[in-house]
Amino acid sequence: MMEPVNVAIIYYSSTGTVHALAQAAVEGAEKAGATVRLRKVAETAPPEAVSARAEWAGHLEDTADVTEAGHDDLEWADAVLFGTPTRFGNPASQLRAFIDTTGPLWFQGKLADKVYSAFTASNTAHGGQESTLLALANTFYHWGGIIVPPGYTDPLQFRSGNPYGTSHVTGDGPPGEVALQAARYQARRVVDIAAFLKVGRAA
């Protein structure tokens, strides 16, 4: 790689599934030579909703040391991977709340020309996974971003099956090796394309 690539992996996870995918994406990006920031978005659900589910409260506690995402992470990054559970076929409101604060950056053109990609999880098979990733892409279009999906660019993708981005069915248990490898591969592809862009701009 000619120049190091800065990658921000910004996610929301209530019970840990998307967090596991995000960690796999960190591994993939780092292995590809990138400098990586793993960032969670703020929990906006009321405490009583969180505490009503032991696994939700537990995950919040387990990830207390993960830095919360800020605008500087987006400015710093050459590429951004967003992770979210699907909520009725859309990104979680916690991630949307963060995205909805980025107007000033967008207005200054600071979100344009970066590489963007996304991954998700749902409780049931299908469960809105594709529509969640496509909904996030609408934001990337507005930002003037360069969307890099995994597509079917690796044999692994025929096993994971989602060309839009890594996805996992939480009802089947925690992400297994195929989903984790897909997240690593997606991040590696994002880094590779971002690196090509950096080299091209420098030239």
Side-chain angles (χ1 to χ4, degrees):
M1 188 182 295
M2 304 284 285
E3 277 194 69
V5 169
N6 293 336
V7 177
I9 296 171
I10 298 175
Y11 76 96
Y12 173 72
S13 188
S14 53
T15 60
T17 303
V18 174
H19 174 73
L21 295 175
Q23 285 183 305
V26 169
E27 291 164 19
E30 286 180 343
K31 203 169 178 186
T35 302
V36 183
R37 290 184 186 178
L38 177 68
R39 298 288 187 262
K40 67 182 179 189
V41 297
E43 179 58 81
T44 57
E48 55 272 21
V50 176
S51 59
R53 286 185 64 193
E55 66 273 37
W56 193 352
H59 181 67
L60 198 58
E61 206 171 289
D62 292 344
T63 54
D65 60 334
V66 180
T67 305
E68 275 186 13
H71 289 184
D72 61 310
D73 298 310
L74 289 172
E75 276 199 69
W76 167 85
D78 299 305
V80 186
L81 284 114
F82 285 100
T84 178
T86 176
R87 296 285 186 259
F88 304 114
N90 278 290
S93 61
Q94 289 88 342
L95 183 65
R96 284 295 335 166
F98 171 71
I99 287 171
D100 289 350
T101 68
T102 60
L105 287 180
W106 162 80
F107 190 70
Q108 296 169 68
K110 289 182 175 175
L111 299 176
D113 304 331
K114 296 175 187 285
V115 168
Y116 295 99
S117 204
F119 53 94
T120 191
S122 63
N123 202 44
T124 55
H126 312 300
Q129 293 178 348
E130 292 181 1
S131 64
T132 296
L133 298 174
L134 291 168
L136 270 172
N138 289 334
T139 294
F140 307 153
Y141 295 132
H142 280 256
W143 287 352
I146 297 151
I147 299 170
V148 175
Y152 292 103
T153 55
D154 186 274
L156 171 73
Q157 287 301 112
F158 289 93
R159 292 170 67 203
S160 70
N162 194 336
Y164 302 96
T166 302
S167 60
H168 175 69
V169 178
T170 309
D172 295 343
E177 207 40 48
V178 171
L180 295 174
Q181 289 288 11
R184 291 181 194 115
Y185 171 72
Q186 182 176 353
R188 193 166 74 236
R189 180 166 155 78
V190 160
V191 171
D192 287 347
I193 302 295
F196 295 154
L197 287 165
K198 278 193 101 161
V199 170
R201 284 189 195 112

